[in-house]
């Protein structure tokens, strides 16, 4: 595996379910990001981790909970989501936060909340 | 202002033609301007980037033109090919080293007709 991988690629969940999205980067980077991509809207930065420490939380509702156990793995835990949370969730990494200009994205998880 | 405004929302070009996508920004603290290309089912991929001390950067058929005084930058795709059909996002980066982040435009869906 190379680059940034994300699993699952597609996820359908009910509003009362609990699920997790996984991201793994094989680039030796130290910063990882979660973005939300909705149709015809700019990518929305959700969370940033730099050297496993969360450095940014862009006013994301608490029903989204990130976890970064090491510099290569990033999770997004989901619970009691709303239909408006349906979107493509993208993970990205960069060498470190100082080099955050060049971010490498995974293919995303297409989330549908029913 | 952190917003980056991108136009047009969609663009249809004949094969061999020139595709032009425009972006404008307000925040003069932005100091790095990348363009990302996204194919269906894939995450965005860095295509080309420019710094504000340069007015133009060319890589193959892709050229960024940058107008610092007007706070505008654009992507030109010369000799457009059907394989260029994708969604293109402009972005701008700012912030001190530990807080650097990307602000994205809303995207342009490019279709190149054969």
């Amino acid at each position: 595996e190379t680059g940034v991988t994300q699993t699952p690629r597609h996820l359908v969940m009910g509003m009362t379910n609990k699920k997790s999205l996984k991201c793994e980067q094989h680039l030796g980077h130290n910063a990882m990001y979660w973005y939300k991509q909705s149709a015809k809207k700019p990518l929305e930065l959700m969370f940033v981790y730099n050297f496993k420490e969360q450095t940014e939380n862009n006013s994301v509702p608490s029903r989204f909970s990130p976890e970064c156990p090491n510099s290569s793995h990033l999770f997004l835990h989901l619970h009691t989501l709303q239909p408006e949370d349906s979107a493509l969730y993208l993970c990205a990494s960069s060498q470190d936060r100082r080099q955050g200009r060049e971010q490498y994205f995974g293919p995303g998880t297409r989330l549908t909340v029913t | 202002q952190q917003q980056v405004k991108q136009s047009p929302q969609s663009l249809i070009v004949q094969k061999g033609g020139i595709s032009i996508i425009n972006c404008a920004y307000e925040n003069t603290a932005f100091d790095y301007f990348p363009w990302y290309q996204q194919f269906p089912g894939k995450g965005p991929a860095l295509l080309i980037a420019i710094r504000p001390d340069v007015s133009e950067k060319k890589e193959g058929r892709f050229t960024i033109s940058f107008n610092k005084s007007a706070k505008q930058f654009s992507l030109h795709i010369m000799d457009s090919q059907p394989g260029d059909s994708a969604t293109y996002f402009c972005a701008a980066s700012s912030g001190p080293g530990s807080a650097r982040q990307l602000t994205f435009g809303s995207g342009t869906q490019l279709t190149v007709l054969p």
Side-chain angles (χ1 to χ4, degrees):
Chain A
E1 290 278 12
T2 59
V4 181
T5 59
Q6 291 186 242
T7 55
R9 295 294 308 277
H10 300 271
L11 178 62
V12 179
M13 60 186 289
M15 289 190 286
T16 58
N17 291 159
K18 290 183 179 181
K19 296 286 184 183
S20 296
L21 310 184
K22 179 183 176 182
C23 174
E24 184 173 1
Q25 60 93 3
H26 309 268
L27 301 168
H29 290 166
N30 291 300
M32 297 188 76
Y33 311 77
W34 279 118
Y35 286 89
K36 176 182 179 183
Q37 185 176 29
S38 304
K40 296 183 172 59
K41 293 175 69 175
L43 274 69
E44 300 172 49
L45 180 64
M46 300 175 71
F47 302 104
V48 183
Y49 279 82
N50 198 38
F51 291 93
K52 302 188 299 179
E53 298 295 321
Q54 185 175 320
T55 59
E56 195 131 351
N57 174 341
N58 277 358
S59 303
V60 180
S62 60
R63 57 187 184 268
F64 295 92
S65 175
E67 178 189 0
C68 188
N70 55 60
S71 293
S72 298
H73 295 86
L74 185 64
F75 295 89
L76 188 62
H77 303 299
L78 316 170
H79 65 97
T80 59
L81 295 191
Q82 304 299 311
E84 61 265 28
D85 297 323
S86 298
L88 181 69
Y89 288 85
L90 292 163
C91 173
S93 70
S94 66
Q95 184 175 346
D96 57 46
R97 193 62 196 280
R98 292 178 181 273
Q99 300 299 322
R101 304 177 189 94
E102 295 186 9
Q103 296 181 16
Y104 296 80
F105 286 83
T109 295
R110 174 67 63 186
L111 173 66
T112 303
V113 181
T114 61
Chain B
Q1 286 280 352
Q2 291 292 316
Q3 192 175 17
V4 176
K5 296 182 180 180
Q6 183 172 348
S7 63
Q9 193 173 82
S10 62
L11 180 62
I12 299 174
V13 174
Q14 292 286 341
K15 179 182 175 182
I18 302 173
S19 303
I20 301 174
I21 304 170
N22 300 300
C23 285
Y25 63 96
E26 290 295 326
N27 186 355
T28 55
F30 287 139
D31 61 2
Y32 177 76
F33 301 86
W35 284 88
Y36 282 80
Q37 179 188 55
Q38 185 177 25
F39 293 105
K42 304 282 189 180
L46 179 63
L47 184 63
I48 186 173
I50 197 168
R51 298 182 193 280
D53 55 347
V54 177
S55 61
E56 185 176 282
K57 183 173 182 180
K58 183 176 181 179
E59 290 184 3
R61 296 183 295 109
F62 299 90
T63 300
I64 300 179
S65 296
F66 187 83
N67 186 330
K68 188 174 182 178
S69 60
K71 290 185 284 188
Q72 296 175 347
F73 59 109
S74 59
L75 176 69
H76 296 235
I77 306 175
M78 311 299 288
D79 186 28
S80 298
Q81 299 297 311
D84 297 330
S85 297
T87 300
Y88 292 81
F89 294 92
C90 62
S93 178
S94 68
S98 61
R100 179 167 288 278
Q101 67 180 54
L102 286 173
T103 301
F104 285 86
S106 55
T108 295
Q109 187 167 348
L110 171 65
T111 302
V112 181
L113 301 176

